[in-house]
Amino acid sequence: MTNNKLSADPSALVLGIIAITISIAGCCCGVFAIIPVILSIIGLVIANKSLQEYSSNPEAYNPNSRSNVSTAKVLNIIALVISSLVTLFYIAYFMIYGVFISEIFKEAYEARNNNDDYNYEWENDSIYYEDDYYEMEEDTINIDSINIEELIETEIDSLNN
């Protein structure tokens, strides 16, 4: 019995740990959710090849090395499941969000092509129509200026008396 390590002993274990860390810590970053999927698949492939090497010639390798590769395989499977779920969640999220955004752009585009006024809900108020807006602005200015003048006159009268 020799002390040879399997080829995937350190690498598959490291890939599994990195993939789990990124998939758990990177849940908030949807763009990076695919990275642990790739790392865990690579780790699984390497671990399976090493386990096949061990099964073909178990006397040539250290049993601790086989144990490490088996642990790496389990870590990579866990990382693959977690990161796949996160990736699927973000794909669904962006698909749903994209549908809502594309509907808004589609309505605006169709209204522009039909020469319609594309009014949002808040534009239905009379303050946003041009004619009413300017009239209201003039009225508001006149009313404010009258009220200020009256207030100044009453203050001056009260100070004089």
Side-chain angles (χ1 to χ4, degrees):
M1 182 161 139
T2 62
N3 289 330
N4 291 337
K5 284 185 169 184
L6 288 168
S7 60
D9 185 7
S11 59
L13 197 57
V14 168
L15 284 173
I17 292 170
I18 290 172
I20 285 179
T21 305
I22 292 175
S23 64
I24 291 174
C27 282
C28 60
C29 305
V31 177
F32 300 112
I34 195 74
I35 293 171
V37 171
I38 295 168
L39 291 177
S40 61
I41 289 173
I42 293 170
L44 273 174
V45 169
I46 292 172
N48 282 334
K49 283 183 181 180
S50 289
L51 289 175
Q52 287 176 356
E53 286 177 25
Y54 184 83
S55 65
S56 67
N57 191 7
E59 292 84 26
Y61 299 105
N62 189 353
N64 288 334
S65 181
R66 182 197 178 281
S67 175
N68 288 344
V69 173
S70 296
T71 304
K73 184 177 178 180
V74 170
L75 287 175
N76 283 307
I77 289 171
I78 292 170
L80 183 63
V81 168
I82 292 172
S83 58
S84 296
L85 290 174
V86 170
T87 302
L88 290 175
F89 171 76
Y90 277 107
I91 288 172
Y93 173 76
F94 287 125
M95 286 175 61
I96 292 169
Y97 185 69
V99 167
F100 290 135
I101 295 297
S102 66
E103 282 296 318
I104 292 171
F105 285 130
K106 179 182 154 193
E107 289 174 8
Y109 179 75
E110 288 174 355
R112 183 174 177 208
N113 284 344
N114 296 335
N115 292 328
D116 294 339
D117 289 332
Y118 186 70
N119 294 328
Y120 294 105
E121 289 179 21
W122 60 84
E123 290 181 347
N124 292 333
D125 193 8
S126 64
I127 194 171
Y128 290 103
Y129 296 122
E130 287 185 23
D131 297 334
D132 294 338
Y133 180 73
Y134 291 118
E135 289 176 16
M136 186 179 289
E137 187 175 314
E138 290 174 11
D139 290 340
T140 305
I141 291 173
N142 289 337
I143 291 172
D144 288 343
S145 63
I146 292 170
N147 289 339
I148 291 174
E149 289 174 2
E150 290 175 1
L151 181 65
I152 292 173
E153 287 177 10
T154 54
E155 288 295 319
I156 291 174
D157 288 341
S158 67
L159 288 175
N160 288 337
N161 291 331

